[in-house]
Amino acid sequence: RLGNGFGRVNVGGATYTYGGNDIQPPAFTAWKWTSDPVMTVNDKTGDYYYCCLAAPDASTNSSAIARGRFTAGVFAFDSVFIVRTAPNAAAFLDKQWIAADSTNGFLYVTNTTFTATDQIDFYRSTDGGRTWSLPVQISNAATDNGNVQGSRPAVGPNSELYVVWYAADATTDEDDIRFRVSLDKGVTVDANNGLLTPAKFNQQFGTGAPAFNRARGVNFPTIAVDRQNVPQRGGLYIS
C-alpha cells in the first residue's frame, strides 16, 4: 500500500476534498511513496507536480514526481518521473522540495543528500520533469558539509531561481539561513551571486514553538516570491 496521500480545496477554500490513502499518485510497479510530499503547479499549463521520496525496492531510495491535472473538474495523476535514485548503502535522499517556472515549463528540485556527510543538491528539468540533470551541490563543501537540511527553491516572475536552506553553525550560538540565486534558469545556480547568509538565528531546538508541547524547534526556512501584477512584484520573502 502506498504511504502518502493528497487533498484539494476549491477556489476560496470553502470546501476540501481528501484523496485518501487508496487514491494516491501512481507509482511504478512495486514502488512505494515514503515521505515528505510537496506540490507545485505550472500556472499556465495547469499541470500539478507531486514530489515525494520513494522506495523502488528494499535496497534503493529515490525522489520522484507525479504529474496530474484537472479535466472537466476531475483531478487525476497521469505520469510518474524519477528525479534521482541511489543505493541505500551509498546515499540517502531526504527533504526534497520542488518549484515550477510557469514562464518556460522548467522544474527545479533540491534535497539533502546524506552520505558520510550531508549536502544540499540541486536538479533541473527542462522538459516538464521527464528527464533531470545530474545533482549539483549548492551548499558550501568547505564550511557546511554535515550541517545542512531543509532546502526550498522558489521562482520569481522573470525566471529568477532562489534556493534557501538551514545550516547549523558549530562556531557560534546562532545558526544560519543560507541562500543562492540563479539568473540563468538554474544553469549556474552554484555561481551567481555566490553563497549568501541573509540571517543568523537562535533556533531554540530544545524548546519548541508556543503551544507546541514537544522538544523540537521548527528551524527550516521557507521562501516566497510575489508574482502578482502589483508594485511589489518580484519581492522576495524568507522566513
Side-chain angles (χ1 to χ4, degrees):
R1 182 169 174 171
L2 303 179
N4 290 274
F6 69 96
R8 63 181 175 88
V9 296
N10 73 340
V11 176
T15 62
Y16 173 78
T17 302
Y18 174 51
N21 288 326
D22 295 317
I23 307 172
Q24 296 199 34
F28 298 104
T29 303
W31 279 52
K32 288 202 292 186
W33 298 109
T34 54
S35 66
D36 299 353
V38 62
M39 292 195 78
T40 189
V41 62
N42 184 319
D43 297 328
K44 291 185 177 179
T45 65
D47 288 323
Y48 288 80
Y49 296 93
Y50 178 103
C51 184
C52 198
L53 300 177
D57 53 53
S59 61
T60 314
N61 70 105
S62 177
S63 61
I65 61 172
R67 185 188 64 195
R69 59 169 41 247
F70 285 94
T71 303
V74 178
F75 182 81
F77 290 99
D78 57 29
S79 301
V80 177
F81 308 119
I82 301 170
V83 179
R84 179 181 177 183
T85 297
N88 293 345
F92 174 68
L93 311 178
D94 193 28
K95 295 293 181 290
Q96 88 303 327
W97 205 271
I98 188 172
D101 187 343
S102 298
T103 66
N104 52 34
F106 290 5
L107 295 170
Y108 306 107
V109 166
T110 60
N111 75 269
T112 309
T113 301
F114 286 91
T115 55
T117 179
D118 59 71
Q119 64 192 50
I120 303 298
D121 284 337
F122 168 81
Y123 316 81
R124 174 176 178 263
S125 173
T126 61
D127 56 9
R130 292 171 179 81
T131 61
W132 291 84
S133 65
L134 294 174
V136 174
Q137 180 176 349
I138 59 174
S139 55
N140 190 301
T143 61
D144 286 345
N145 269 14
N147 298 312
V148 295
Q149 186 55 295
S151 62
R152 297 190 180 185
V155 176
N158 297 309
S159 293
E160 311 95 331
L161 171 64
Y162 307 104
V163 185
V164 294
W165 63 90
Y166 164 80
D169 190 334
T171 63
T172 71
D173 292 333
E174 294 180 310
D175 291 331
D176 302 311
I177 294 176
R178 299 292 198 218
F179 173 89
R180 284 199 190 275
V181 58
S182 173
L183 303 179
D184 57 9
K185 303 177 179 64
V187 175
T188 52
V189 72
D190 59 337
N192 285 339
N193 285 5
L195 177 65
L196 304 178
T197 303
K200 297 180 72 68
F201 69 103
N202 190 321
Q203 63 157 304
Q204 295 291 310
F205 181 80
T207 63
F212 194 65
N213 190 24
R214 57 189 294 205
R216 288 287 190 275
V218 182
N219 59 342
F220 296 161
T222 188
I223 185 171
V225 185
D226 195 335
R227 299 170 63 180
Q228 303 176 91
N229 291 319
V230 296
Q232 297 83 9
R233 179 175 171 85
L236 175 66
Y237 303 89
I238 297 174
S239 173

